[in-house]
Amino acid sequence: MEKLAPEARTGNRRGRRSRQEILDATARVMSVRGYAGTSMSTLVRETGLPKSAFYHHFESKAGLLSAVMAKGAHGFFDAMREAHRNPPEGGTPRERLGWYLHRTGDVLENREEFLRLLLVLVMSREAAEAPEALRTVIEVRDEGRDYMRHMIRSSFASEGEDVANTVADALAHFGMAGFDGAFVSLQSRDGKPISEFMERLADAMAAIAEALVAAR
């Protein structure tokens, strides 16, 4: 295998570092200013990198946003999977669901920048100007609902596959709405810990699930 010369290896490391710096700075600035409010000159000022470095790695601001969202989504769902390793086997469906939601709340607190940008794009529809990024936003929301279904289905697995699937399909959107509201409250500094919202959300979802099962 051909070895890179020392200067080539240094250049590669510098290139990877500058790309990472660009992605980190873009996520930070856009989560506050939004897509339309973030100019390339602002990003140049935030990173200290020349504008040419941005266009070396990304063809456009839309492509940059798409890369930021893809990186953030990858990190978010990796963190979710790590937080939910070794779920409890015993307990009631409510207790198991509470276990999932509490750990999800921890992930929300530690991934604020990505989620703030995601909600800014959802609420403002600015990503419509960047089709690649809009697709990523839609994919992240879809994956989030699928993950919510997984958590609910796993929590109610002891009730049988049919019940678990019915409850998961019925409550996936409601659970996502609960997450959205809890995160907005967290960002608003309302004074309530996210763990309290997750506890109440688990109570509400379990109660609705019980009513659905009773009505079958």
Side-chain angles (χ1 to χ4, degrees), residues 2 13 16 34 50 69 106 124 134 142 146 160 174 184 189 201 208-210 216:
E2 182 180 357
R13 287 196 298 271
R16 287 193 296 270
M69 292 303 298
D106 293 340
S124 67
L134 179 58
D142 288 344
D146 287 342
F174 178 79
V184 169
R189 305 294 187 262
L201 181 59
I208 296 172
E210 289 172 4
R216 286 166 56 87

Side-chain angles (χ1 to χ4, degrees), residues 56-206:
H56 172 73
H57 293 291
F58 308 99
E59 293 183 358
S60 64
K61 192 172 82 166
L64 172 57
L65 174 60
S66 183
V68 166
M69 292 303 298
K71 176 178 179 292
H74 181 77
F76 176 77
F77 287 111
D78 275 355
M80 288 280 280
R81 285 184 284 270
E82 179 62 26
H84 295 146
R85 290 177 61 190
N86 304 315
E89 295 181 3
T92 65
R94 160 64 184 82
E95 289 169 340
R96 290 194 294 273
L97 183 61
W99 183 89
Y100 276 108
L101 296 187
H102 274 291
R103 280 154 181 76
T104 299
D106 293 340
V107 175
L108 296 185
E109 285 191 295
N110 290 300
R111 296 282 168 171
E112 289 187 62
E113 200 168 80
F114 166 69
L115 293 171
R116 191 162 55 238
L117 176 56
L118 178 65
L119 284 184
V120 165
L121 295 174
V122 168
M123 296 295 291
S124 67
R125 306 302 297 172
E126 287 180 353
E129 300 176 20
E132 289 181 15
L134 179 58
R135 284 195 296 273
T136 303
V137 169
I138 293 170
E139 288 169 1
V140 168
R141 296 293 290 179
D142 288 344
E143 186 170 356
R145 276 186 290 273
D146 287 342
Y147 203 95
M148 174 60 72
R149 286 188 185 91
H150 161 72
M151 290 191 291
I152 299 170
R153 192 180 299 114
S154 298
S155 299
F156 286 83
S158 61
E159 305 302 303
E161 184 177 354
D162 188 42
V163 169
N165 287 334
T166 296
V167 172
D169 289 342
L171 294 182
H173 282 78
F174 178 79
M176 281 283 288
F179 278 173
D180 291 342
F183 184 72
V184 169
S185 180
L186 178 68
Q187 294 299 296
S188 300
R189 305 294 187 262
D190 288 342
K192 293 284 188 180
I194 200 162
S195 59
E196 185 173 329
F197 285 106
M198 294 298 101
E199 188 73 20
R200 297 294 176 265
L201 181 59
D203 286 341
M205 292 174 70

